[in-house]
Amino acid sequence: MHRILLIDDDEHLAPPLTTYLKRYDFEVIHADRPSVGLARLAAEPFDAVILDVMLPEMDGFEVLREIRRQHSTPVLMLTARGELTDRVVGLEMGADDYLPKPFEPRELAARLTTVLRRVKVAAAPNPGEAEVLRFEGLQIDVPRREVTRQGEVLALTGTEYELLLLLAKEPRKVFSRDDILSRLRGHDADLYTRAVDILVSRLRKKLEPLDCIKTLRNAGYAFAAGSAR
């Protein structure tokens, strides 16, 4: 079973959701406060985190910031009222997906399944494919899902890593936003384009001072780092 950490103070949500998700092979561990959830995440392995925005002690965005300082675990955020601002902020800070409240448990299960499948596919090497991709100042160790920039290991989220690997496997090929979304799975329709731009922006910041992701106006993005000699 996949172990899922639910950080949400809604005492009426956790029990039925825990029971429901068991049928999809998800074991849900509930933390009703951010401090408890962060402590559990630091002490135990989890396959994904479900994180509410409205929480005591600190809001979900602060919790997400703390998670991203130490972990690349996929995070699905629950946003009250489905507000556009909440979703954009969550994506910018490293969330892998989001779901507006109220939601159908079946949709949550489907999103979790998709996120975990995406991580598994990205981690599995293809026969005949180079296990380590080397470029000027950048190295991508595919089996270990480890990215090194100028000798420093980068802390990338699962989605950031998948985007980098997608582009780096075919240098100079132009990927449109639709290409990227179809490979990585997009979000709600009204945020499709914005989600890709936010993801690229996040990845670029982590790759600095390297400038290896180029924007081609009205076309998309391409990887432009030279191969290591």
Side-chain angles (χ1 to χ4, degrees):
M1 296 182 73
H2 292 292
R3 301 186 78 242
I4 309 298
L5 177 62
L6 170 65
I7 305 178
D8 194 313
D9 65 329
D10 185 348
E11 61 183 18
H12 300 294
L13 173 67
L17 192 60
T18 297
T19 300
Y20 183 84
L21 290 178
K22 278 184 179 179
R23 70 179 69 175
Y24 297 97
D25 288 330
F26 293 123
E27 177 189 4
V28 178
I29 310 300
H30 178 223
D32 61 358
R33 298 190 311 282
S35 57
V36 176
L38 291 171
R40 293 294 295 264
L41 189 59
E44 308 169 40
F46 287 94
D47 297 299
V49 176
I50 302 172
L51 175 63
D52 192 21
V53 170
M54 304 295 291
L55 290 167
E57 299 181 340
M58 63 180 83
D59 66 31
F61 301 122
E62 293 179 80
V63 179
L64 178 61
R65 186 180 294 112
E66 290 297 319
I67 291 174
R68 284 293 169 249
R69 285 174 180 167
Q70 301 291 332
H71 309 280
S72 60
T73 309
V75 176
L76 188 155
M77 297 196 75
L78 303 178
T79 60
R81 304 176 305 280
E83 289 191 2
L84 183 65
T85 300
D86 285 352
R87 287 178 280 170
V88 170
V89 170
L91 289 170
E92 288 176 335
M93 294 177 62
D96 293 88
D97 204 349
Y98 56 79
L99 189 60
K101 283 185 173 182
F103 59 85
E104 290 293 330
R106 180 66 186 89
E107 182 176 2
L108 176 60
R111 287 177 180 260
L112 281 172
T113 299
T114 300
V115 168
L116 293 172
R117 183 188 303 121
R118 192 174 67 205
V119 171
K120 181 178 180 180
V121 169
N126 294 323
E129 184 176 71
E131 291 192 346
V132 179
L133 304 179
R134 295 182 174 87
F135 305 93
E136 293 180 359
L138 187 72
Q139 178 174 294
I140 305 172
D141 189 321
V142 178
R144 298 175 62 185
R145 292 175 61 85
E146 183 177 274
V147 178
T148 306
R149 180 207 59 207
Q150 297 178 336
E152 177 187 0
V153 176
L154 299 182
L156 301 183
T157 68
T159 309
E160 290 164 354
Y161 171 82
E162 291 153 23
L163 172 61
L164 177 60
L165 186 61
L166 171 66
L167 299 177
K169 281 181 177 178
E170 299 183 75
R172 305 196 182 283
K173 175 180 177 178
V174 179
F175 289 86
S176 69
R177 291 179 178 85
D178 286 342
D179 291 334
I180 293 172
L181 286 165
S182 67
R183 301 286 191 93
L184 304 186
R185 184 193 179 277
H187 303 270
D188 290 350
D190 61 347
L191 266 184
Y192 271 359
T193 299
R194 181 63 172 149
V196 173
D197 294 339
I198 290 171
L199 179 58
V200 171
S201 177
R202 274 171 26 200
L203 181 56
R204 277 176 168 157
K205 288 180 181 178
K206 293 187 178 183
L207 292 173
E208 290 177 350
L210 301 181
D211 182 21
C212 52
I213 299 179
K214 301 297 183 182
T215 301
L216 289 86
R217 189 173 182 181
N218 298 323
Y221 300 99
F223 188 79
S227 299
R229 295 180 180 179

